[in-house]
Amino acid sequence: MFLCAFPCVSHSRLPLFLRKYISPCKRRREDAQPGSAPRAWTRMPSCARSEPGAPTAGSPPPAAAGPAGRGGPGAAGPGALGGPAGGGAGGGGRKAAGPGAFRLTEKFVLLLVFSAFITLCFGAIFFLPDSSKLLSGVFFHSAALQPPPPPPGFQPRAPPQPGAGPAMPEEAGGAGSLERIRADHERALREAKETLQKLPEEIRRDIRQDKEKLLQDARGRKEAAAAGLPQRPFRQPVGAVGREPADPAVRQRRDKIKEMMKYAWDNYKRYAWGLNELKPISKQGHSSNLFGNIQGATIVDALDTLFIMEMKEEFKEAKEWVEKNLDFNVNAEISVFEVNIRFVGGLLSAYYLSGEEIFRKKAVELGEKLLPAFNTPTGIPWALLNIKSGIGRNWPWASGGSSILAEFGTLHLEFVHLSHLSGNPVFAEKVMNIRKVLSRLDKPEGLYPNYLNPSSGQWGQHHVSIGGLGDSFYEYLLKAWLMSDKTDEEGKKMYYDAVQAIETHLIRKSSGGLTYIAEWKGGLLEHKMGHLTCFAGGMFALGADGAPSDKTGHHIELGAEIARTCHESYDRTSMKLGPEAFRFDGGVEAIATRQNEKYYILRPEVIETYMYMWRLTHDPKYRQWAWEAVEALEKHCRVDGGYSGIRDVYSNHESHDDVQQSFFLSETLKYLYLLFSDDDLLPFEHWVFNTEAHPFPILRKEDGSKEEKEK
């Protein structure tokens, strides 16, 4: 092959891997002495091909070399070294090379051969598909290649049986690579086509946004590192943005709800930007003492609603406000419960949806400022906390200074996620200690009273409610189990035991066939159900899947009955909006009888239950009932400056309370939007909502193991 044109190369000096491919047709005798006439080349016995000047059968032998030196007149014929075929020169010709020069030439030739060989190998590796097979087929077909040793535990594949289908290739790597290349190519073509369809201004805007996103991500990582937070790769969440509904009527209704959100947001931005809430009649800001001097409750509460509705510009300006203005270094007393579910919850969900590090940083910072609330003899937190001094206390009206079940029992989801995102177990330890305290206490009739003294660790008044003061404690027992990927067996048992006691002692049916949940006061029932209690319909339905198999259908039916009762409380008012509380006594059913129970403050609980019932049953009546509520909101609550609550839903004349609650944007409008969206938007298999409707991802077991490995 390569060396046939170079007779000066010794066959014995060739690399082993080339010797068998090159016929050793000629060789030079190596025993010539310096100064003596070189001997003639002799043919190897194995040579099967004649060469110029070689003797053939029946031909005379070549003339012998004369005594003269190389190129002298004694040289005879082309076979002699001195003759023309030998490359020598007669008389004044080129001087013949000695044995040392041959070795230098050999090195030069070998260098050329190796260079060509390496070039071929690298070319095959980088530019040819499945290059290892190609190289072995071209260059090494005459040699039996030894395969690499099999991995431990390898079982050889059985040979194909006669009559079997076509054998699959032993290695699918090449085919898989081609498939990936083809898919990448098609995706690149699609992206290029989409880009070409855009206007130049849109392309420039997209490039600018991508640059800003990269800069923000880098800045966020630096801030997280500065705050001592662990590096955490952001994974695009499942269902953060869903598809457009296929049904045009449903799509139109969902678009209307998005327009309501924009109207509420724009008016807040116009008249109360940076303050906690909006007074839409007065067109100015409103601040509740629940938040102390912390500002921006509506902004933080609305972040995730803006995101899932794809209101990108509004989300961007809200994020910028959080980054520049959200400040927790204030000397003020705040409600631990309200700040947790609205601020901590809103920041956590915004982080999980968008991956913006500023939200994680702010959430952990605020969580750390809430930790002094747990500095009580039992670890049951105070209701109120000065976040600068760390001094806490309870509401003075709460049963001798007791902590409230719905407040200290509604920290679990947020604090578990704070530990997950910060790497600091103290948050989860605080809320798990609450479980320990509760497990040691006797429960009257299996029920949890609304008041617990944080100093003595004993119950206060035996007042039990699934509405105000108790509601979200039960909700968080169920959702803690779901959020743990159904591994929190303690939370699960506490929830289903509590539901059994509620069914036995609190759930009743009216003479008109309406199922309701009464309140329990020292063994006596008060046949009153609050608007807040209406969330329980969705809770019962959501928990049906984990109930004992013979109770699953019963829990769904119980949820449906509660939903029907709460719908009746809306339908029996003049404005088709529900009162704060309604009663079942004195011949009255699902109607408020006291003036201080007739108001509606844009609450979400009835809509919440409709949303869960729709997702779990797809009964169209829940969408219809929700749309009736939308029409009532538009007719009676929409004013020039936003949306306002109503003082009396039974009146024929509207009297507004002049407050646009932050939870109207966070909960009421979000649940309505989800009702008229497909189930792929924030699916229950991947998300759990806190009591302020902020979605948190389910913490999968494999996610925890992956993070441990990453650390």
Side-chain angles (χ1 to χ4, degrees), residues 657-669:
D657 67 7
D658 197 19
V659 179
Q660 180 178 281
Q661 304 279 351
S662 75
F663 56 68
F664 178 68
L665 290 77
S666 171
E667 298 186 72
T668 309
L669 293 177

Side-chain angles (χ1 to χ4, degrees), residues 688-709:
V688 168
F689 296 89
N690 86 336
T691 199
E692 191 78 4
H694 295 306
F696 299 156
I698 289 174
L699 297 177
R700 306 289 181 191
K701 290 172 284 189
E702 58 268 23
D703 291 345
S705 60
K706 285 180 184 176
E707 290 188 0
E708 287 299 321
K709 290 179 182 178

Side-chain angles (χ1 to χ4, degrees), residues 583-599:
R583 296 181 179 266
F584 297 85
D585 53 18
V588 170
E589 294 190 2
I591 293 177
T593 58
R594 302 181 183 180
Q595 191 60 40
N596 64 353
E597 296 173 347
K598 294 181 179 181
Y599 61 89

Side-chain angles (χ1 to χ4, degrees), residues 255-270:
D255 289 344
K256 172 60 183 174
I257 295 158
K258 183 175 179 178
E259 185 275 330
M260 295 170 67
M261 176 66 183
K262 182 165 178 57
Y263 186 76
W265 177 263
D266 287 348
N267 278 284
Y268 167 77
K269 181 182 175 183
R270 184 176 299 114

Side-chain angles (χ1 to χ4, degrees), residues 94-111:
R94 185 182 306 170
K95 184 178 179 180
F102 282 106
R103 287 195 294 273
L104 180 63
T105 306
E106 290 169 8
K107 293 178 182 178
F108 176 73
V109 172
L110 286 176
L111 180 62

